[in-house]
Amino acid sequence: MLMTAAGYRESLREYKPRVFVDGRAVDVVADDEALLPGINAIGVCYELAHQSQYADLMTATTPDGRTVNRMTHLDTNGADLLAKLEAVRLVCQESGCAQRYLTHDSLIAVQQATFRADAEHATEYSQRFAAYLAGVQDEDLTIGVAMTDAKGDRSKRPGAQANPDVYVHISERRPDGIVIRGTKAIVTGAPYVHEFLVMPCRTMTAEDADFAVCCAIPVDADGVTIVSRPAGRPGERAATFSNRYGQSTGVVILDDVFVPWERVFLAGEHEIGGFLTTSYATHHRHTCIGARAGFGDLLIGAGVLMIEANGLDTERHAHIRDAMVELITLVEGFYACGVAASTYAHDDPSGTVIPDAVFANIGKLLLANQIYDMHRLAHYVSGGLIVALPGPDEDHNPETAAALDAVLGAGIPSRQRLEVARLVEDLTASYQGGWYSVISLHGGGSPEAMKREIWRNYPLPEKTELVQRVLERGIAGGRAVSSRQPGKCCATGCQPPAPEDS
């Protein structure tokens, strides 16, 4: 069943999560004004799947012939990865950040991890997860990723924390399941998802085994409390975009939550927990490339309209054209890394695929650092009006509206200039603009994490062998040289010269 946006919002009424926003309890998530921009954003993922021009992109066919939303599909080849990348770019063009792509990234990472767990530990996790996945696909659910722990003292590992609840962990094992407790600190869309996939957020050691847990829990499971921010800027008239589309993040507190065994996909296999963390990161960083490219498309379009509203001509004002070309280059540059990661994907033993880790991490690292340049360029081509204009209440003030209209128009309809300027402000220079910056920098892991993955996965030995072969062919001054370390120049190692007879 493919849900519509309206059906998704209605489905939230079947759940009764314990949610607090801005210090107040939320009675009905689906009707709460502070959360509606987030619900609207996820709704885009559902609605586009019903539009004929996007059906091939926004839906996929499972190996057993079922039609599912692209956001719940497991990629089996590079074409699937590319379609996912393009689908995410599309939904983020409409919504700024669609959030539901986290469902895809978590499902495929858990599928790959459970396959390894079964192979190495003779568990039955993959069979359990396959049944769970089918239910998510058939019901077209949205999954929240409960991954980032509160972490406490970051200099200490999970098992060494004074308060173990700063990481989610298994507090009890029972014949019918496990009991978990702890805190997940950054959960995207937490109040308005159907389920949480609880996953570890770092590599673990044997001493951390109780923290290596992966399981699925309903958003309204007993013992779950969600303390959340509003989504976007609901109710603000000047928020021309984010009063309709936004994203909520929540702290999710798990107070002895019972999870039956059929919903447990990892329970102490610490080395598999490390694989799950890195697998998810690769998938998610690849997806983030599409998401931020969609946001970049909004900035490019808004920049062009702002230039027109300011009465400028890119043919005569080359500096404005150059700034727009730089913005386009940034967006399409990191997106090209996503395309490359799809093209050079490798098969996973589980039957799915993993994007190329080097290109996926390079693309995410580029966008993480360049989001600030994207904002700077949007500001440059727009001018200071984006933060200096009077608020929308003045648009209909009989004392000032006529005078403002006369000078802000100046040959260009003032309404056009006002609307576009406020859009650029909302996307780049408001609370929402700051949010886009921070989520681009730290979402999916810090830049340092991406640098580590690039270094870990880049084929450095191939590059050093390349140069060594060049040197040994005698390129340097016509004689062969070697840069190999002593004892490593041949299979048997260097031998000291025999002493000369005296």
Side-chain angles (χ1 to χ4, degrees), residues 25-258:
V26 173
D27 294 327
V28 182
V29 165
D31 295 330
D32 197 275
E33 182 183 15
L35 302 176
L36 281 181
I39 294 171
N40 291 337
I42 288 185
V44 172
C45 296
Y46 286 103
E47 206 57 41
L48 289 178
H50 291 274
Q51 297 184 18
S52 58
Q53 67 269 41
Y54 301 126
D56 289 343
L57 191 62
M58 292 303 302
T59 64
T61 303
T62 64
D64 58 359
R66 291 174 294 131
T67 298
V68 300
N69 192 288
R70 178 69 64 182
M71 300 304 155
T72 67
H73 179 61
L74 302 189
D75 311 307
T76 59
N77 51 51
D80 274 346
L81 287 172
L82 188 57
K84 181 261 295 188
L85 195 71
E86 293 177 350
V88 170
R89 184 170 187 168
L90 173 66
V91 295
C92 290
Q93 289 171 349
E94 297 291 326
S95 64
C97 188
Q99 305 162 74
R100 198 185 181 211
Y101 53 72
L102 293 160
T103 298
H104 165 277
D105 301 340
S106 59
L107 291 175
I108 194 167
V110 175
Q111 186 260 358
Q112 292 168 351
T114 54
F115 181 88
R116 280 167 173 74
D118 286 2
E120 296 179 20
H121 297 279
T123 54
E124 298 179 350
Y125 293 138
S126 61
Q127 183 176 348
R128 294 177 190 170
F129 181 73
Y132 176 75
L133 172 66
V136 169
Q137 292 174 329
D138 291 344
E139 297 179 49
D140 210 6
L141 301 181
T142 290
I143 305 299
V145 176
M147 187 175 194
T148 304
D149 293 282
K151 297 182 180 178
D153 184 344
R154 294 191 176 207
S155 69
K156 296 179 180 179
R157 300 196 62 84
Q161 296 288 333
N163 177 9
D165 291 348
V166 297
Y167 282 86
V168 171
H169 58 283
I170 301 171
S171 60
E172 182 183 357
R173 295 172 183 264
R174 294 170 21 181
D176 54 347
I178 61 174
V179 177
I180 60 173
R181 61 180 296 115
T183 305
K184 293 295 186 179
I186 306 173
V187 182
T188 298
Y192 44 82
V193 299
H194 300 107
E195 301 251 335
F196 292 127
L197 258 179
V198 177
M199 300 192 295
C201 76
R202 59 174 296 167
T203 57
M204 303 285 183
T205 65
E207 290 73 25
D208 305 320
D210 283 342
F211 300 84
V213 57
C214 176
C215 58
I217 57 175
V219 68
D220 59 354
D222 289 343
V224 175
T225 299
I226 302 166
V227 185
S228 180
R229 299 172 69 98
R233 300 167 66 195
E236 297 185 36
R237 291 188 61 191
T240 57
F241 187 87
S242 60
N243 66 359
R244 177 169 178 79
Y245 295 118
Q247 180 184 123
S248 174
T249 53
V251 175
V252 177
I253 302 167
L254 307 176
D255 186 7
D256 288 332
V257 178
F258 172 71

Side-chain angles (χ1 to χ4, degrees), residues 151 154 285 361 364-365 368-369 438 440-453:
K151 297 182 180 178
R154 294 191 176 207
R285 289 165 191 168
N361 279 277
K364 178 60 175 67
L365 182 61
N369 293 323
V438 175
S440 298
L441 182 67
H442 285 295
S446 67
E448 177 62 23
M450 294 153 218
K451 292 176 183 178
R452 288 176 180 268
E453 282 298 287

